[in-house]
Amino acid sequence: MGRGAALFRTSIGLKITMAVSGIVFVGFVIGHMFGNLKVYQGAEVFNHYAEGLREFGDPFFQYGQTLWIARAVLIVALAAHVWSALKLTRQSRAARDERYRKLEALEFSRASRSMRWGGVALLAFVVYHLLHLTFGAVHPDFIAGDAYHNLVTGFQSVPVSAVYAVAMLALGLHLYHGVWSAFQTLGISGPRVNRMRRPLALGIALVVAGGNLSFPVAVLTGIVA
Amino acid sequence: MNLTLHVWRQASPDDRGRFVTYEALDVEAHMSFLEMLDVVNEGLEERGEEPIAFDHDCREGICGTCGMVVNGRPHGPWKRTTVCQLHMREYRDGDDIWIEPWRAAGFPVIRDLVVDRTSLDRIVAAGGFISARTGSAPDANAIPVPKAHAERAMDAASCIGCGACVAACPNASAMLFTSAKVAHLNLLPQGRPEKAMRVIDMVLQMEAENFGSCTNHGACETACPKDISVDFIALLNRDYLSAAVGRSG
């Protein structure tokens, strides 16, 4: 391994890995939320969209190919993000070998404190979410190919909706700190850029978490049935 | 006023260390925090006990030698103020004050509140210098420097290397210190020739000193007695990224 590659194993190199893989996920969660808004247009439109994800790029790509390419990118990004986070966390734990009796929280926002436990919670949620609405393994009334039915019957359970609500809170906090942090880590900083970094992070966090949260709320209140 | 102090006492690097409670009696409001400790130490010496060891030098807030965590806050509760410039009018009769050393694997405790900060010196030694011709001083303005760059470099150069950023960081990261020491040279034409080498060598030294990783909490900036901005951390990351990519080719 050359010197260039070794430089990406420092904490700054790992942080750059976290930022780039995080940006992949920011793009994904925005697209995921936007696509799912079609649930408000009824079963036909929504199921057509879900099926369309598999036919994306036709005829250049064949059935399901683009979907699996996207999944592969996400899996690689997830692995890079988690692996870097583990290494960085271990380094930081070792760096404060003796703990303070008390250390005042002086950070800019409380969201930054949620990154580690929030990240673990989100990882657990991703597993649950895939088993619930993608593979149907933990869905009591799963019909393969009927995404609308699966979503509506899934969210009719209050405990299930509560799990999604908590996960979206964690996602919102993660995005709020993560988006701002990515700018910082990639060195995208300057008087003009810095003015829009916080509002952009807040906007993405609110739009994604809020949009996603609206689905279980809409099902439970009967707006989507 | 009378105060109750809970001070970290540790006889040597190998000692486990513990908090010991002392009564600080008849403390004057106009005393500095370190003068208050001086008075407590006089009392300890009169009783034949070991005085509390703490670092101090200029006592004017400019040298960066003093530093301790007071009630969970590096340099105590006053913003942009070193602990030597903290004054006892902050406190009221009967207050409890907990005093701890900087805690970081990169800052091993030598004794009581004194920590070994030579790790920061080694980071500077790794690249915090420029190649300059020796001899007489160059003519003023021989090398033009844009005003904005000069101002930013001066902001970075105001770092006194006290280590409060490391002490405040939940990860015990030395990124704010390193970024300031890299930036004040990298921003100026005089520092340009070694720019890429400097940022890589100083970051590699920082990693070797057992500091943690930056999670962009911003606690360092809040704790910094010289108000160094985390914008310098972004600049460090940018310089590092371009240097690392440039070198891998």
Side-chain angles (χ1 to χ4, degrees):
Chain A
M1 192 174 281
R3 185 163 159 82
L7 292 176
F8 279 91
R9 282 181 305 196
T10 64
S11 64
I12 296 183
L14 290 168
K15 288 276 303 173
I16 291 167
T17 308
M18 294 225 59
V20 172
S21 55
I23 289 168
V24 170
F25 276 102
V26 172
F28 168 72
V29 292
I30 292 171
H32 190 51
M33 192 283 293
F34 178 76
N36 284 348
L37 286 176
K38 291 167 187 63
V39 78
Y40 292 114
Q41 290 169 271
E44 202 181 323
V45 174
F46 188 70
N47 284 344
H48 176 65
Y49 154 70
E51 188 57 21
L53 290 175
R54 289 172 169 76
E55 293 161 0
F56 203 79
D58 183 72
F60 186 81
F61 289 106
Q62 290 177 330
Y63 185 82
Q65 282 181 344
T66 33
L67 187 64
W68 274 107
I69 290 168
R71 283 172 176 171
V73 170
L74 289 174
I75 289 167
V76 169
L78 183 68
H81 204 72
V82 171
W83 182 76
S84 306
L86 285 174
K87 286 203 74 166
L88 290 166
T89 303
R90 209 175 308 148
Q91 178 183 345
S92 293
R93 290 267 154 86
R96 171 89 8 97
D97 47 353
E98 187 89 39
R99 300 182 74 84
Y100 287 104
R101 174 190 168 270
K102 183 178 133 185
L103 185 66
E104 206 178 303
L106 299 173
E107 68 270 4
F108 295 157
S109 84
R110 302 295 294 181
S112 64
R113 290 268 174 156
S114 76
M115 294 310 271
R116 287 184 185 137
W117 69 258
V120 172
L122 284 172
L123 187 61
F125 169 74
V126 166
V127 173
Y128 170 74
H129 180 50
L130 288 173
L131 292 174
H132 184 229
L133 287 177
T134 304
F135 301 114
V138 296
H139 195 299
D141 187 18
F142 191 80
I143 301 172
D146 194 347
Y148 188 86
H149 166 86
N150 295 335
L151 185 150
V152 171
T153 55
F155 286 155
Q156 273 165 353
S157 156
V158 173
V160 168
S161 285
V163 167
Y164 275 80
V166 171
M168 285 312 107
L169 181 69
L171 179 63
L173 290 171
H174 212 76
L175 284 170
Y176 177 61
H177 182 70
V179 169
W180 180 83
S181 201
F183 279 103
Q184 192 72 2
T185 300
L186 297 175
I188 305 167
S189 168
R192 228 173 300 157
V193 180
N194 289 3
R195 271 202 295 277
M196 42 81 47
R197 295 193 307 184
R198 280 285 176 203
L200 182 72
L202 183 64
I204 291 175
L206 286 178
V207 166
V208 171
N212 285 337
L213 207 52
S214 78
F215 306 133
V217 170
V219 169
L220 288 174
T221 54
I223 296 167
V224 169
Chain B
M1 71 184 104
N2 297 326
L3 303 165
T4 305
L5 308 182
H6 308 274
V7 184
W8 184 260
R9 301 303 307 264
Q10 185 173 338
S12 70
D14 304 323
D15 182 18
R16 279 192 52 113
R18 70 213 62 83
F19 283 102
V20 178
T21 301
Y22 300 99
E23 298 301 324
L25 305 176
D26 301 322
V27 174
E28 301 282 345
H30 62 258
M31 283 178 176
S32 77
F33 199 83
L34 299 189
E35 284 167 343
M36 181 274 294
L37 287 179
D38 289 337
V39 171
V40 170
N41 275 345
E42 278 174 20
L44 287 175
E45 284 178 62
E46 278 169 19
R47 297 205 304 269
E49 291 178 39
E50 279 291 325
I52 300 158
F54 60 90
D55 266 331
H56 60 96
D57 190 18
C58 75
R59 299 202 179 201
E60 292 176 341
I62 54 173
C63 77
T65 308
C66 67
M68 55 192 77
V69 172
V70 181
N71 283 345
R73 201 166 168 134
H75 287 301
W78 289 3
K79 285 204 149 195
R80 295 182 291 280
T81 307
T82 54
V83 73
C84 64
Q85 293 298 293
L86 172 65
H87 281 69
M88 298 312 292
R89 60 178 177 274
E90 166 71 16
Y91 297 97
R92 296 285 163 267
D93 189 53
D95 278 356
D96 271 58
I97 304 176
W98 292 80
I99 308 172
E100 294 177 78
W102 290 172
R103 295 201 189 277
F107 291 162
V109 171
I110 298 171
R111 187 185 182 94
D112 299 339
L113 305 173
V114 179
V115 298
D116 182 352
R117 285 171 290 186
T118 50
S119 48
L120 299 186
D121 297 340
R122 287 188 293 270
I123 293 173
V124 170
F129 50 81
I130 60 165
S131 309
R133 130 192 118 85
T134 54
S136 59
D139 288 338
N141 297 331
I143 304 170
V145 181
K147 174 73 171 161
H149 292 192
E151 292 292 344
R152 283 198 78 199
M154 277 302 286
D155 287 347
S158 66
C159 169
I160 53 176
C162 64
C165 46
V166 177
C169 177
N171 305 308
S173 166
M175 284 283 276
L176 191 64
F177 169 82
T178 307
S179 72
K181 294 302 174 197
V182 168
H184 79 107
L185 298 178
N186 275 13
L187 284 166
L188 296 176
Q190 288 88 341
R192 208 59 55 78
E194 302 92 349
K195 186 177 172 186
M197 197 176 72
R198 172 179 304 115
V199 65
I200 288 195
D201 290 345
M202 288 177 75
V203 166
L204 289 177
Q205 189 61 40
M206 176 187 83
E207 295 282 305
E209 299 291 352
N210 301 319
F211 292 112
S213 71
C214 175
T215 43
N216 300 320
H217 282 78
C220 51
E221 183 185 301
T222 314
C224 178
K226 295 297 156 186
D227 226 8
I228 308 279
S229 163
V230 295
D231 291 351
F232 289 117
I233 294 181
L235 192 62
L236 175 75
N237 291 333
R238 188 198 303 173
D239 285 353
Y240 184 85
L241 182 58
S242 60
V245 170
R247 278 199 169 188
S248 64

